[in-house]
Amino acid sequence: MKCNYCSQMTNRNLTLAEIFLPKKIVSEQLCSQCTQKFQLLKTKGTCQGCQRQTQNRYCSDCLKWQQLYPQYDFHHEALFSYNQAMQEWFEEYKFKGNYRLRYSFVSFLQAYFKQKRGFIVIPMPISKERLAVRGFNQVEGLLEAAEIDYQPYLVRFADGHSQVTKTRSERLQLVQPFELTKEGQKVVSNKSILLVDDIYTTGRTIFHGAQVILENHPAKLYTFSLAR
């Protein structure tokens, strides 16, 4: 098999599921060398709000978010650190449009979402303008590659300029760009919701998404990103 990222040939043992269900074989996974470049986040010694490394219960950012959203029991989880290797991977996938890379973290995503059965998964949307340029929603691509069911209940009505060029303060000052679809407004009430993004930086984007979902009174709302 060929590594999804570096394209080098690699060998691995097939699982029983792949042997008896050949359609489930994912031929494009990371080789061991590429996998080692990506740093899994620790679960101990981290902020209970956003998983940032800290010896305190909450980091300074999450203390500020608690002041803005006092009724929201915020809990965000991520799999990987947004280190240099992950930045380069996102450059290839998200900005250069290498859509094949959506398969890179399938096994990690499937293991995580297996623990979240019963949740309605809602991906963070991108604007129509951004979709026209990029050609795909990077979050939906990751979920589809990992065969994770999701519902596109959240839409972005404001043009989404890339946040890569924005400073931290500029990101925090962004106005609400999201809204729930009419179907979403009916469904999320009293349901367990998992809001999914690709990268967590300041938290501003995902809190905007969470805000419109909270207005429709879900039973539980957690958030998740591939990296932070």
Side-chain angles (χ1 to χ4, degrees), residues 135-154:
F136 62 93
N137 178 322
Q138 69 276 5
V139 181
E140 292 180 357
L142 292 170
L143 293 172
E144 290 171 3
E147 299 183 341
I148 307 300
D149 291 333
Y150 67 86
Q151 300 296 332
Y153 290 150
L154 196 64

Side-chain angles (χ1 to χ4, degrees), residues 1-4 6-12 27 29-33:
M1 297 180 183
K2 185 181 293 185
C3 174
N4 177 260
C6 71
S7 298
Q8 296 298 313
M9 296 302 297
T10 180
N11 295 317
R12 69 176 178 85
S27 60
Q29 294 189 6
L30 298 179
C31 66
S32 59
Q33 289 184 330

Side-chain angles (χ1 to χ4, degrees), residues 178-189:
F178 304 116
E179 62 185 2
L180 275 178
T181 63
K182 290 183 178 180
E183 182 181 1
Q185 294 173 19
K186 297 176 182 178
V187 172
V188 302
S189 178

Side-chain angles (χ1 to χ4, degrees), residues 98-123:
N98 187 349
Y99 196 50
R100 179 174 56 84
L101 293 183
R102 68 192 186 279
Y103 289 106
S104 296
F105 304 104
V106 163
S107 59
F108 295 96
L109 291 169
Q110 288 179 338
Y112 175 83
F113 280 92
K114 187 176 182 179
Q115 305 172 45
K116 295 296 185 288
R117 289 174 178 169
F119 280 77
I120 296 175
V121 177
I122 301 179

Side-chain angles (χ1 to χ4, degrees), residues 4-213:
N4 177 260
Y5 192 31
C6 71
S7 298
Q8 296 298 313
M9 296 302 297
T10 180
N11 295 317
R12 69 176 178 85
N13 295 324
L14 298 179
T15 66
L16 290 176
E18 290 172 329
I19 293 173
F20 292 104
L21 298 172
K23 290 192 298 183
K24 296 294 184 180
I25 295 178
V26 178
S27 60
E28 297 186 274
Q29 294 189 6
L30 298 179
C31 66
S32 59
Q33 289 184 330
C34 284
T35 300
Q36 292 174 4
K37 296 178 182 179
F38 302 103
Q39 179 183 350
L40 286 168
L41 286 173
K42 298 178 180 179
T43 56
K44 294 183 178 180
T46 61
C47 171
Q48 292 187 23
C50 70
Q51 212 173 337
R52 173 187 285 179
Q53 285 291 122
T54 180
Q55 297 304 312
N56 300 319
R57 184 175 182 182
Y58 293 103
C59 68
S60 57
D61 279 357
C62 284
L63 290 175
K64 294 177 182 177
W65 289 125
Q66 286 179 335
Q67 293 177 346
L68 289 174
Y69 300 91
Q71 304 302 317
Y72 178 22
D73 185 19
F74 175 56
H75 181 70
H76 182 83
E77 293 181 323
L79 293 179
F80 294 95
S81 168
Y82 191 57
N83 61 7
Q84 183 65 35
M86 186 60 75
Q87 291 179 43
E88 293 173 356
W89 183 89
F90 268 109
E91 177 68 22
E92 286 290 324
Y93 172 57
K94 186 174 178 178
F95 300 111
K96 294 184 179 179
N98 187 349
Y99 196 50
R100 179 174 56 84
L101 293 183
R102 68 192 186 279
Y103 289 106
S104 296
F105 304 104
V106 163
S107 59
F108 295 96
L109 291 169
Q110 288 179 338
Y112 175 83
F113 280 92
K114 187 176 182 179
Q115 305 172 45
K116 295 296 185 288
R117 289 174 178 169
F119 280 77
I120 296 175
V121 177
I122 301 179
M124 292 296 293
I126 60 177
S127 68
K128 292 180 180 179
E129 294 81 2
R130 180 63 55 188
L131 182 61
V133 172
R134 184 174 297 156
F136 62 93
N137 178 322
Q138 69 276 5
V139 181
E140 292 180 357
L142 292 170
L143 293 172
E144 290 171 3
E147 299 183 341
I148 307 300
D149 291 333
Y150 67 86
Q151 300 296 332
Y153 290 150
L154 196 64
V155 295
R156 183 162 192 152
F157 60 84
D159 185 12
H161 297 290
S162 176
Q163 292 198 49
V164 172
T165 59
K166 296 183 185 298
T167 65
R168 180 180 179 83
S169 61
E170 287 174 336
R171 294 183 186 188
L172 291 172
Q173 293 172 13
L174 292 174
V175 297
Q176 175 62 266
F178 304 116
E179 62 185 2
L180 275 178
T181 63
K182 290 183 178 180
E183 182 181 1
Q185 294 173 19
K186 297 176 182 178
V187 172
V188 302
S189 178
N190 295 317
K191 298 295 195 304
S192 296
I193 307 298
L194 182 57
L195 184 60
V196 180
D197 206 356
D198 53 352
I199 308 168
Y200 181 101
T201 49
T202 64
R204 177 68 277 180
T205 301
I206 211 160
F207 268 94
H208 269 151
Q211 182 178 355
V212 296
I213 294 174

